[in-house]
Every structure is written in C-alpha cells, then in structure tokens.
Amino acid sequence: MRRSLAYAAFAFALAASPLAYAASTNPAEMPAGTYALDKTHASITAQIDHFGFSGYTFRFDKFDASYSYDPAKPDASVLKVTVDVNSLSTGYDKADAAFPAEFLAADKHPTATFVSKSIQRGAGNKGVVTGDLTLAGVTKPVKLDVTFNGSGKDMFGAIRSGFSASTVIKRTEFGSTKYAPALGDEVKLVMDVEFTKQ
C-alpha cells in the first residue's frame, strides 16, 4: 500500500512539475559548464552482421563520459569517453567470458577511449562530432552523427542534457579479424546518453 501511494505521489509530482518538460533543443540555450554522464540513463550498443542472417547486438555495461561547453564557443567543446571493453555483454554468459578478449583484445587493451577534435553544427539539432577512437591499441579518426535531444532543468532542479549518436566503424582497421567472415567487418555503434551539469 505504501509503495502504491509513493508511486502515485511521484507520478503526480512528475506530471505537475513545470520543470519536467523544460528541455530546449537549441544548443545556444544550454548553460555553460562541465557536464558528467548520468550512468543510470546511458547506453552504448553495437550491431554486427552474423552470416548475413541477423544483426548480432551487444552492449557495453561500463563506461563514462564528460564534456565541457560554452554557448559562446560551441565549436570549442570537448567530449571525452572511456569504455571498459571487458564489460562487453552479449546476454549470453558463455560468449561474454571469451568474446571481449578474442574480439577486441580486451586482455591487452582493456580500455577504449574517444576524444573529440571538432564539432560541426548541422541543421536544427543535428551535428557531427569528429574525434579519435582508440580501440584494441589502435587509434583512428571517427565521425559521430549526433542529435541534440535537448537541455533544461529536470523535476529536481538539476540541469540535464541528452544526446543520441551513431557511427559505423570497420573492426579490421582496429586489428579485429576474429570470427571473420562469420561476423562482418562493419560495426554499427549507437549511443543514447544523458548528462548533468556539475
């Protein structure tokens, strides 16, 4: 009974709060500062061709990210991402035990990183973030197609921002040839993330 009442009160507060829907998709309205990843509302998933029969999907369960932002100089923003490669999860325990090391050399290179080098604004809330991706000990330039989902205050008064991004990399360029041709060369990465202003 208490749980039901608490849930009802929370739902009412969420619906009634003017702060709950204050997101603006205009980057110029996002306050300047440093933003840290909200790990409870963030995901990185990947998809790779499996014999042409399906897009085999997995995710990374442990990662962190932050960025600095100044609306007066948006192009000078810097995004930094670190990923625990050993946190790769297929949802199948037997595969998870060996897949990170065999597929991405996680035993030798347990951390992947991305550091942005430039930001190009597109139409509306779209843009392209170019940076260096280091994976399996190899660093290559990568472009992320980014959608700015908005920024604003949440119901608790915290300033929050959200982004969706995607890119396609070729794993052979990072030295990953295991399981070819059963697993394809192109890997689609999809990120949906929220940040809070520090």
Side-chain angles (χ1 to χ4, degrees), residues 135-156:
L135 178 65
V138 179
T139 301
K140 295 284 185 179
V142 168
K143 291 185 177 182
L144 303 178
D145 293 318
V146 178
T147 298
F148 175 51
N149 297 322
S151 68
K153 288 184 178 180
D154 62 21
M155 65 176 295
F156 303 106

mmCIF file with all atom_site columns, all heavy atoms in Angstrom, residues 135-156:
data_model
loop_
_atom_site.group_PDB
_atom_site.id
_atom_site.type_symbol
_atom_site.label_atom_id
_atom_site.label_alt_id
_atom_site.label_comp_id
_atom_site.label_asym_id
_atom_site.label_entity_id
_atom_site.label_seq_id
_atom_site.pdbx_PDB_ins_code
_atom_site.Cartn_x
_atom_site.Cartn_y
_atom_site.Cartn_z
_atom_site.occupancy
_atom_site.B_iso_or_equiv
_atom_site.pdbx_formal_charge
_atom_site.auth_seq_id
_atom_site.auth_comp_id
_atom_site.auth_asym_id
_atom_site.auth_atom_id
_atom_site.pdbx_PDB_model_num
ATOM 1   N N   . LEU A 1 135 ? 40.914 1.899  -29.858 1.00 0.00 ? 135 LEU A N   1
ATOM 2   C CA  . LEU A 1 135 ? 40.298 0.607  -29.580 1.00 0.00 ? 135 LEU A CA  1
ATOM 3   C C   . LEU A 1 135 ? 41.296 -0.490 -29.910 1.00 0.00 ? 135 LEU A C   1
ATOM 4   O O   . LEU A 1 135 ? 41.914 -0.462 -30.981 1.00 0.00 ? 135 LEU A O   1
ATOM 5   C CB  . LEU A 1 135 ? 39.020 0.451  -30.418 1.00 0.00 ? 135 LEU A CB  1
ATOM 6   C CG  . LEU A 1 135 ? 38.252 -0.856 -30.316 1.00 0.00 ? 135 LEU A CG  1
ATOM 7   C CD1 . LEU A 1 135 ? 37.687 -1.037 -28.910 1.00 0.00 ? 135 LEU A CD1 1
ATOM 8   C CD2 . LEU A 1 135 ? 37.113 -0.880 -31.347 1.00 0.00 ? 135 LEU A CD2 1
ATOM 9   N N   . ALA A 1 136 ? 41.469 -1.418 -29.007 1.00 0.00 ? 136 ALA A N   1
ATOM 10  C CA  . ALA A 1 136 ? 42.416 -2.528 -29.201 1.00 0.00 ? 136 ALA A CA  1
ATOM 11  C C   . ALA A 1 136 ? 43.822 -2.017 -29.492 1.00 0.00 ? 136 ALA A C   1
ATOM 12  O O   . ALA A 1 136 ? 44.580 -2.628 -30.244 1.00 0.00 ? 136 ALA A O   1
ATOM 13  C CB  . ALA A 1 136 ? 41.938 -3.450 -30.313 1.00 0.00 ? 136 ALA A CB  1
ATOM 14  N N   . GLY A 1 137 ? 44.157 -0.870 -28.901 1.00 0.00 ? 137 GLY A N   1
ATOM 15  C CA  . GLY A 1 137 ? 45.500 -0.322 -29.042 1.00 0.00 ? 137 GLY A CA  1
ATOM 16  C C   . GLY A 1 137 ? 45.731 0.454  -30.324 1.00 0.00 ? 137 GLY A C   1
ATOM 17  O O   . GLY A 1 137 ? 46.849 0.899  -30.581 1.00 0.00 ? 137 GLY A O   1
ATOM 18  N N   . VAL A 1 138 ? 44.685 0.631  -31.131 1.00 0.00 ? 138 VAL A N   1
ATOM 19  C CA  . VAL A 1 138 ? 44.796 1.351  -32.402 1.00 0.00 ? 138 VAL A CA  1
ATOM 20  C C   . VAL A 1 138 ? 43.941 2.613  -32.338 1.00 0.00 ? 138 VAL A C   1
ATOM 21  O O   . VAL A 1 138 ? 42.799 2.571  -31.873 1.00 0.00 ? 138 VAL A O   1
ATOM 22  C CB  . VAL A 1 138 ? 44.345 0.472  -33.583 1.00 0.00 ? 138 VAL A CB  1
ATOM 23  C CG1 . VAL A 1 138 ? 44.430 1.242  -34.900 1.00 0.00 ? 138 VAL A CG1 1
ATOM 24  C CG2 . VAL A 1 138 ? 45.173 -0.804 -33.644 1.00 0.00 ? 138 VAL A CG2 1
ATOM 25  N N   . THR A 1 139 ? 44.477 3.722  -32.821 1.00 0.00 ? 139 THR A N   1
ATOM 26  C CA  . THR A 1 139 ? 43.744 4.987  -32.828 1.00 0.00 ? 139 THR A CA  1
ATOM 27  C C   . THR A 1 139 ? 43.406 5.399  -34.248 1.00 0.00 ? 139 THR A C   1
ATOM 28  O O   . THR A 1 139 ? 44.285 5.453  -35.122 1.00 0.00 ? 139 THR A O   1
ATOM 29  C CB  . THR A 1 139 ? 44.561 6.102  -32.150 1.00 0.00 ? 139 THR A CB  1
ATOM 30  O OG1 . THR A 1 139 ? 44.850 5.728  -30.796 1.00 0.00 ? 139 THR A OG1 1
ATOM 31  C CG2 . THR A 1 139 ? 43.791 7.415  -32.143 1.00 0.00 ? 139 THR A CG2 1
ATOM 32  N N   . LYS A 1 140 ? 42.126 5.678  -34.481 1.00 0.00 ? 140 LYS A N   1
ATOM 33  C CA  . LYS A 1 140 ? 41.653 6.088  -35.796 1.00 0.00 ? 140 LYS A CA  1
ATOM 34  C C   . LYS A 1 140 ? 40.643 7.233  -35.640 1.00 0.00 ? 140 LYS A C   1
ATOM 35  O O   . LYS A 1 140 ? 39.911 7.295  -34.646 1.00 0.00 ? 140 LYS A O   1
ATOM 36  C CB  . LYS A 1 140 ? 40.957 4.923  -36.520 1.00 0.00 ? 140 LYS A CB  1
ATOM 37  C CG  . LYS A 1 140 ? 41.852 3.746  -36.873 1.00 0.00 ? 140 LYS A CG  1
ATOM 38  C CD  . LYS A 1 140 ? 42.723 4.059  -38.077 1.00 0.00 ? 140 LYS A CD  1
ATOM 39  C CE  . LYS A 1 140 ? 43.535 2.845  -38.501 1.00 0.00 ? 140 LYS A CE  1
ATOM 40  N NZ  . LYS A 1 140 ? 44.371 3.145  -39.691 1.00 0.00 ? 140 LYS A NZ  1
ATOM 41  N N   . PRO A 1 141 ? 40.584 8.135  -36.642 1.00 0.00 ? 141 PRO A N   1
ATOM 42  C CA  . PRO A 1 141 ? 39.557 9.184  -36.595 1.00 0.00 ? 141 PRO A CA  1
ATOM 43  C C   . PRO A 1 141 ? 38.175 8.593  -36.881 1.00 0.00 ? 141 PRO A C   1
ATOM 44  O O   . PRO A 1 141 ? 38.028 7.720  -37.746 1.00 0.00 ? 141 PRO A O   1
ATOM 45  C CB  . PRO A 1 141 ? 39.987 10.143 -37.709 1.00 0.00 ? 141 PRO A CB  1
ATOM 46  C CG  . PRO A 1 141 ? 40.789 9.298  -38.651 1.00 0.00 ? 141 PRO A CG  1
ATOM 47  C CD  . PRO A 1 141 ? 41.477 8.278  -37.801 1.00 0.00 ? 141 PRO A CD  1
ATOM 48  N N   . VAL A 1 142 ? 37.185 9.074  -36.147 1.00 0.00 ? 142 VAL A N   1
ATOM 49  C CA  . VAL A 1 142 ? 35.813 8.586  -36.288 1.00 0.00 ? 142 VAL A CA  1
ATOM 50  C C   . VAL A 1 142 ? 34.863 9.774  -36.246 1.00 0.00 ? 142 VAL A C   1
ATOM 51  O O   . VAL A 1 142 ? 35.073 10.722 -35.488 1.00 0.00 ? 142 VAL A O   1
ATOM 52  C CB  . VAL A 1 142 ? 35.461 7.591  -35.162 1.00 0.00 ? 142 VAL A CB  1
ATOM 53  C CG1 . VAL A 1 142 ? 33.965 7.296  -35.131 1.00 0.00 ? 142 VAL A CG1 1
ATOM 54  C CG2 . VAL A 1 142 ? 36.233 6.295  -35.337 1.00 0.00 ? 142 VAL A CG2 1
ATOM 55  N N   . LYS A 1 143 ? 33.811 9.718  -37.054 1.00 0.00 ? 143 LYS A N   1
ATOM 56  C CA  . LYS A 1 143 ? 32.791 10.760 -37.052 1.00 0.00 ? 143 LYS A CA  1
ATOM 57  C C   . LYS A 1 143 ? 31.497 10.219 -36.456 1.00 0.00 ? 143 LYS A C   1
ATOM 58  O O   . LYS A 1 143 ? 31.014 9.162  -36.863 1.00 0.00 ? 143 LYS A O   1
ATOM 59  C CB  . LYS A 1 143 ? 32.527 11.263 -38.474 1.00 0.00 ? 143 LYS A CB  1
ATOM 60  C CG  . LYS A 1 143 ? 33.683 12.059 -39.072 1.00 0.00 ? 143 LYS A CG  1
ATOM 61  C CD  . LYS A 1 143 ? 33.304 12.628 -40.432 1.00 0.00 ? 143 LYS A CD  1
ATOM 62  C CE  . LYS A 1 143 ? 34.449 13.484 -40.991 1.00 0.00 ? 143 LYS A CE  1
ATOM 63  N NZ  . LYS A 1 143 ? 34.082 14.079 -42.303 1.00 0.00 ? 143 LYS A NZ  1
ATOM 64  N N   . LEU A 1 144 ? 30.960 10.949 -35.496 1.00 0.00 ? 144 LEU A N   1
ATOM 65  C CA  . LEU A 1 144 ? 29.691 10.594 -34.874 1.00 0.00 ? 144 LEU A CA  1
ATOM 66  C C   . LEU A 1 144 ? 28.587 11.494 -35.419 1.00 0.00 ? 144 LEU A C   1
ATOM 67  O O   . LEU A 1 144 ? 28.718 12.724 -35.407 1.00 0.00 ? 144 LEU A O   1
ATOM 68  C CB  . LEU A 1 144 ? 29.759 10.769 -33.352 1.00 0.00 ? 144 LEU A CB  1
ATOM 69  C CG  . LEU A 1 144 ? 30.829 10.010 -32.577 1.00 0.00 ? 144 LEU A CG  1
ATOM 70  C CD1 . LEU A 1 144 ? 30.740 10.383 -31.097 1.00 0.00 ? 144 LEU A CD1 1
ATOM 71  C CD2 . LEU A 1 144 ? 30.672 8.514  -32.763 1.00 0.00 ? 144 LEU A CD2 1
ATOM 72  N N   . ASP A 1 145 ? 27.516 10.896 -35.912 1.00 0.00 ? 145 ASP A N   1
ATOM 73  C CA  . ASP A 1 145 ? 26.324 11.663 -36.279 1.00 0.00 ? 145 ASP A CA  1
ATOM 74  C C   . ASP A 1 145 ? 25.500 11.852 -35.012 1.00 0.00 ? 145 ASP A C   1
ATOM 75  O O   . ASP A 1 145 ? 25.038 10.876 -34.406 1.00 0.00 ? 145 ASP A O   1
ATOM 76  C CB  . ASP A 1 145 ? 25.517 10.914 -37.337 1.00 0.00 ? 145 ASP A CB  1
ATOM 77  C CG  . ASP A 1 145 ? 26.257 10.815 -38.664 1.00 0.00 ? 145 ASP A CG  1
ATOM 78  O OD1 . ASP A 1 145 ? 26.871 11.820 -39.074 1.00 0.00 ? 145 ASP A OD1 1
ATOM 79  O OD2 . ASP A 1 145 ? 26.252 9.728  -39.268 1.00 0.00 ? 145 ASP A OD2 1
ATOM 80  N N   . VAL A 1 146 ? 25.332 13.107 -34.616 1.00 0.00 ? 146 VAL A N   1
ATOM 81  C CA  . VAL A 1 146 ? 24.764 13.406 -33.301 1.00 0.00 ? 146 VAL A CA  1
ATOM 82  C C   . VAL A 1 146 ? 23.451 14.173 -33.422 1.00 0.00 ? 146 VAL A C   1
ATOM 83  O O   . VAL A 1 146 ? 23.307 15.071 -34.256 1.00 0.00 ? 146 VAL A O   1
ATOM 84  C CB  . VAL A 1 146 ? 25.763 14.231 -32.458 1.00 0.00 ? 146 VAL A CB  1
ATOM 85  C CG1 . VAL A 1 146 ? 25.160 14.580 -31.100 1.00 0.00 ? 146 VAL A CG1 1
ATOM 86  C CG2 . VAL A 1 146 ? 27.065 13.463 -32.276 1.00 0.00 ? 146 VAL A CG2 1
ATOM 87  N N   . THR A 1 147 ? 22.511 13.790 -32.575 1.00 0.00 ? 147 THR A N   1
ATOM 88  C CA  . THR A 1 147 ? 21.269 14.545 -32.402 1.00 0.00 ? 147 THR A CA  1
ATOM 89  C C   . THR A 1 147 ? 21.235 15.088 -30.983 1.00 0.00 ? 147 THR A C   1
ATOM 90  O O   . THR A 1 147 ? 21.399 14.332 -30.020 1.00 0.00 ? 147 THR A O   1
ATOM 91  C CB  . THR A 1 147 ? 20.029 13.661 -32.628 1.00 0.00 ? 147 THR A CB  1
ATOM 92  O OG1 . THR A 1 147 ? 20.038 13.167 -33.969 1.00 0.00 ? 147 THR A OG1 1
ATOM 93  C CG2 . THR A 1 147 ? 18.749 14.456 -32.403 1.00 0.00 ? 147 THR A CG2 1
ATOM 94  N N   . PHE A 1 148 ? 21.079 16.397 -30.862 1.00 0.00 ? 148 PHE A N   1
ATOM 95  C CA  . PHE A 1 148 ? 20.957 17.030 -29.549 1.00 0.00 ? 148 PHE A CA  1
ATOM 96  C C   . PHE A 1 148 ? 19.496 16.955 -29.138 1.00 0.00 ? 148 PHE A C   1
ATOM 97  O O   . PHE A 1 148 ? 18.642 17.625 -29.702 1.00 0.00 ? 148 PHE A O   1
ATOM 98  C CB  . PHE A 1 148 ? 21.442 18.481 -29.632 1.00 0.00 ? 148 PHE A CB  1
ATOM 99  C CG  . PHE A 1 148 ? 21.246 19.270 -28.369 1.00 0.00 ? 148 PHE A CG  1
ATOM 100 C CD1 . PHE A 1 148 ? 21.686 18.791 -27.144 1.00 0.00 ? 148 PHE A CD1 1
ATOM 101 C CD2 . PHE A 1 148 ? 20.633 20.513 -28.409 1.00 0.00 ? 148 PHE A CD2 1
ATOM 102 C CE1 . PHE A 1 148 ? 21.515 19.523 -25.981 1.00 0.00 ? 148 PHE A CE1 1
ATOM 103 C CE2 . PHE A 1 148 ? 20.474 21.268 -27.256 1.00 0.00 ? 148 PHE A CE2 1
ATOM 104 C CZ  . PHE A 1 148 ? 20.900 20.764 -26.035 1.00 0.00 ? 148 PHE A CZ  1
ATOM 105 N N   . ASN A 1 149 ? 19.207 16.108 -28.155 1.00 0.00 ? 149 ASN A N   1
ATOM 106 C CA  . ASN A 1 149 ? 17.815 15.884 -27.748 1.00 0.00 ? 149 ASN A CA  1
ATOM 107 C C   . ASN A 1 149 ? 17.273 16.980 -26.850 1.00 0.00 ? 149 ASN A C   1
ATOM 108 O O   . ASN A 1 149 ? 16.057 17.072 -26.649 1.00 0.00 ? 149 ASN A O   1
ATOM 109 C CB  . ASN A 1 149 ? 17.687 14.533 -27.046 1.00 0.00 ? 149 ASN A CB  1
ATOM 110 C CG  . ASN A 1 149 ? 18.033 13.383 -27.972 1.00 0.00 ? 149 ASN A CG  1
ATOM 111 O OD1 . ASN A 1 149 ? 17.711 13.404 -29.147 1.00 0.00 ? 149 ASN A OD1 1
ATOM 112 N ND2 . ASN A 1 149 ? 18.717 12.376 -27.439 1.00 0.00 ? 149 ASN A ND2 1
ATOM 113 N N   . GLY A 1 150 ? 18.180 17.793 -26.305 1.00 0.00 ? 150 GLY A N   1
ATOM 114 C CA  . GLY A 1 150 ? 17.728 18.927 -25.512 1.00 0.00 ? 150 GLY A CA  1
ATOM 115 C C   . GLY A 1 150 ? 18.450 19.076 -24.201 1.00 0.00 ? 150 GLY A C   1
ATOM 116 O O   . GLY A 1 150 ? 19.178 18.182 -23.750 1.00 0.00 ? 150 GLY A O   1
ATOM 117 N N   . SER A 1 151 ? 18.259 20.237 -23.581 1.00 0.00 ? 151 SER A N   1
ATOM 118 C CA  . SER A 1 151 ? 18.806 20.508 -22.250 1.00 0.00 ? 151 SER A CA  1
ATOM 119 C C   . SER A 1 151 ? 17.799 21.336 -21.471 1.00 0.00 ? 151 SER A C   1
ATOM 120 O O   . SER A 1 151 ? 16.942 22.009 -22.052 1.00 0.00 ? 151 SER A O   1
ATOM 121 C CB  . SER A 1 151 ? 20.144 21.256 -22.336 1.00 0.00 ? 151 SER A CB  1
ATOM 122 O OG  . SER A 1 151 ? 19.941 22.571 -22.840 1.00 0.00 ? 151 SER A OG  1
ATOM 123 N N   . GLY A 1 152 ? 17.902 21.267 -20.168 1.00 0.00 ? 152 GLY A N   1
ATOM 124 C CA  . GLY A 1 152 ? 16.997 22.025 -19.311 1.00 0.00 ? 152 GLY A CA  1
ATOM 125 C C   . GLY A 1 152 ? 17.000 21.453 -17.913 1.00 0.00 ? 152 GLY A C   1
ATOM 126 O O   . GLY A 1 152 ? 17.758 20.532 -17.605 1.00 0.00 ? 152 GLY A O   1
ATOM 127 N N   . LYS A 1 153 ? 16.164 22.005 -17.058 1.00 0.00 ? 153 LYS A N   1
ATOM 128 C CA  . LYS A 1 153 ? 16.077 21.537 -15.683 1.00 0.00 ? 153 LYS A CA  1
ATOM 129 C C   . LYS A 1 153 ? 15.121 20.351 -15.585 1.00 0.00 ? 153 LYS A C   1
ATOM 130 O O   . LYS A 1 153 ? 14.042 20.364 -16.191 1.00 0.00 ? 153 LYS A O   1
ATOM 131 C CB  . LYS A 1 153 ? 15.590 22.649 -14.761 1.00 0.00 ? 153 LYS A CB  1
ATOM 132 C CG  . LYS A 1 153 ? 16.610 23.751 -14.515 1.00 0.00 ? 153 LYS A CG  1
ATOM 133 C CD  . LYS A 1 153 ? 16.084 24.755 -13.512 1.00 0.00 ? 153 LYS A CD  1
ATOM 134 C CE  . LYS A 1 153 ? 17.122 25.840 -13.223 1.00 0.00 ? 153 LYS A CE  1
ATOM 135 N NZ  . LYS A 1 153 ? 16.616 26.824 -12.234 1.00 0.00 ? 153 LYS A NZ  1
ATOM 136 N N   . ASP A 1 154 ? 15.538 19.336 -14.809 1.00 0.00 ? 154 ASP A N   1
ATOM 137 C CA  . ASP A 1 154 ? 14.612 18.242 -14.544 1.00 0.00 ? 154 ASP A CA  1
ATOM 138 C C   . ASP A 1 154 ? 13.747 18.595 -13.337 1.00 0.00 ? 154 ASP A C   1
ATOM 139 O O   . ASP A 1 154 ? 13.837 19.704 -12.795 1.00 0.00 ? 154 ASP A O   1
ATOM 140 C CB  . ASP A 1 154 ? 15.364 16.918 -14.361 1.00 0.00 ? 154 ASP A CB  1
ATOM 141 C CG  . ASP A 1 154 ? 16.317 16.928 -13.161 1.00 0.00 ? 154 ASP A CG  1
ATOM 142 O OD1 . ASP A 1 154 ? 16.134 17.771 -12.243 1.00 0.00 ? 154 ASP A OD1 1
ATOM 143 O OD2 . ASP A 1 154 ? 17.239 16.091 -13.140 1.00 0.00 ? 154 ASP A OD2 1
ATOM 144 N N   . MET A 1 155 ? 12.905 17.675 -12.916 1.00 0.00 ? 155 MET A N   1
ATOM 145 C CA  . MET A 1 155 ? 11.959 17.981 -11.841 1.00 0.00 ? 155 MET A CA  1
ATOM 146 C C   . MET A 1 155 ? 12.637 18.230 -10.501 1.00 0.00 ? 155 MET A C   1
ATOM 147 O O   . MET A 1 155 ? 12.038 18.773 -9.573  1.00 0.00 ? 155 MET A O   1
ATOM 148 C CB  . MET A 1 155 ? 10.943 16.847 -11.692 1.00 0.00 ? 155 MET A CB  1
ATOM 149 C CG  . MET A 1 155 ? 11.509 15.520 -11.255 1.00 0.00 ? 155 MET A CG  1
ATOM 150 S SD  . MET A 1 155 ? 10.215 14.290 -10.994 1.00 0.00 ? 155 MET A SD  1
ATOM 151 C CE  . MET A 1 155 ? 9.342  14.992 -9.611  1.00 0.00 ? 155 MET A CE  1
ATOM 152 N N   . PHE A 1 156 ? 13.922 17.850 -10.402 1.00 0.00 ? 156 PHE A N   1
ATOM 153 C CA  . PHE A 1 156 ? 14.655 18.062 -9.160  1.00 0.00 ? 156 PHE A CA  1
ATOM 154 C C   . PHE A 1 156 ? 15.510 19.330 -9.211  1.00 0.00 ? 156 PHE A C   1
ATOM 155 O O   . PHE A 1 156 ? 16.229 19.632 -8.277  1.00 0.00 ? 156 PHE A O   1
ATOM 156 C CB  . PHE A 1 156 ? 15.540 16.854 -8.859  1.00 0.00 ? 156 PHE A CB  1
ATOM 157 C CG  . PHE A 1 156 ? 14.766 15.558 -8.772  1.00 0.00 ? 156 PHE A CG  1
ATOM 158 C CD1 . PHE A 1 156 ? 14.837 14.621 -9.781  1.00 0.00 ? 156 PHE A CD1 1
ATOM 159 C CD2 . PHE A 1 156 ? 13.940 15.299 -7.688  1.00 0.00 ? 156 PHE A CD2 1
ATOM 160 C CE1 . PHE A 1 156 ? 14.117 13.438 -9.707  1.00 0.00 ? 156 PHE A CE1 1
ATOM 161 C CE2 . PHE A 1 156 ? 13.216 14.128 -7.605  1.00 0.00 ? 156 PHE A CE2 1
ATOM 162 C CZ  . PHE A 1 156 ? 13.302 13.194 -8.626  1.00 0.00 ? 156 PHE A CZ  1
#
